[in-house]
Amino acid sequence: MPFKPHYLLVVLTVYCFAALHALPMGGFAPRLTCRCIRTSSAFISPARFHRLEILPPGAHCRHIEIIVTKKDNTIVCVNPKARWIKKVIAQLQSNKRSAGVPISTTTDSINTKLEQRQ
């Protein structure tokens, strides 16, 4: 039986089709959904913060998510429109500016500042 290039084309097409449907559409992201189901606007003292995460909108979620891990390891999702959290973030960023460190919009700069305060 002679080799037919058409068979090779059919096999490659089936292989590519199967591979495309096996991979997730969002890539290999660890989470494909929002982490915060509910948010709270209740004030939490920054002295009780262990970690502050700010997740920008992206493929995983359409909304900005602010996640506070308290020192007792409880996790609270904070409403990003709450005035008190805006003030806390502005204060952390201004402390960075006064220290001569450039301000970054990533969560790492805020996490570093919180760890330095402890």
Side-chain angles (χ1 to χ4, degrees):
M1 181 168 107
F3 177 74
K4 303 249 181 185
H6 295 1
Y7 293 134
L8 179 61
L9 181 62
V10 169
V11 169
L12 286 175
T13 303
V14 169
Y15 176 76
C16 290
F17 184 78
L20 285 175
H21 286 286
L23 296 175
M25 292 300 289
F28 294 101
R31 280 197 197 278
L32 298 176
T33 60
C34 296
R35 289 179 62 184
C36 295
I37 297 171
R38 280 181 270 157
T39 60
S40 171
S41 295
F43 177 74
I44 302 170
S45 172
R48 297 178 62 197
F49 286 10
H50 173 69
R51 184 176 180 174
L52 175 67
E53 295 178 78
I54 301 173
L55 303 174
H60 70 285
C61 186
R62 296 185 304 168
H63 310 286
I64 296 174
E65 296 181 299
I66 299 178
I67 303 169
V68 174
T69 305
K70 297 192 288 186
K71 289 184 179 179
D72 61 356
N73 286 331
T74 57
I75 297 172
V76 179
C77 289
V78 178
N79 184 353
K81 294 179 182 177
R83 286 192 312 179
W84 70 268
I85 195 68
K86 289 180 181 181
K87 289 179 182 179
V88 168
I89 292 170
Q91 183 180 16
L92 290 173
Q93 289 178 337
S94 69
N95 288 345
K96 280 287 192 184
R97 188 178 301 129
S98 64
V101 179
I103 297 174
S104 173
T105 57
T106 63
T107 59
D108 295 331
S109 65
I110 293 172
N111 290 339
T112 303
K113 186 63 183 172
L114 285 173
E115 290 168 5
Q116 288 174 355
R117 287 180 57 193
Q118 297 175 357

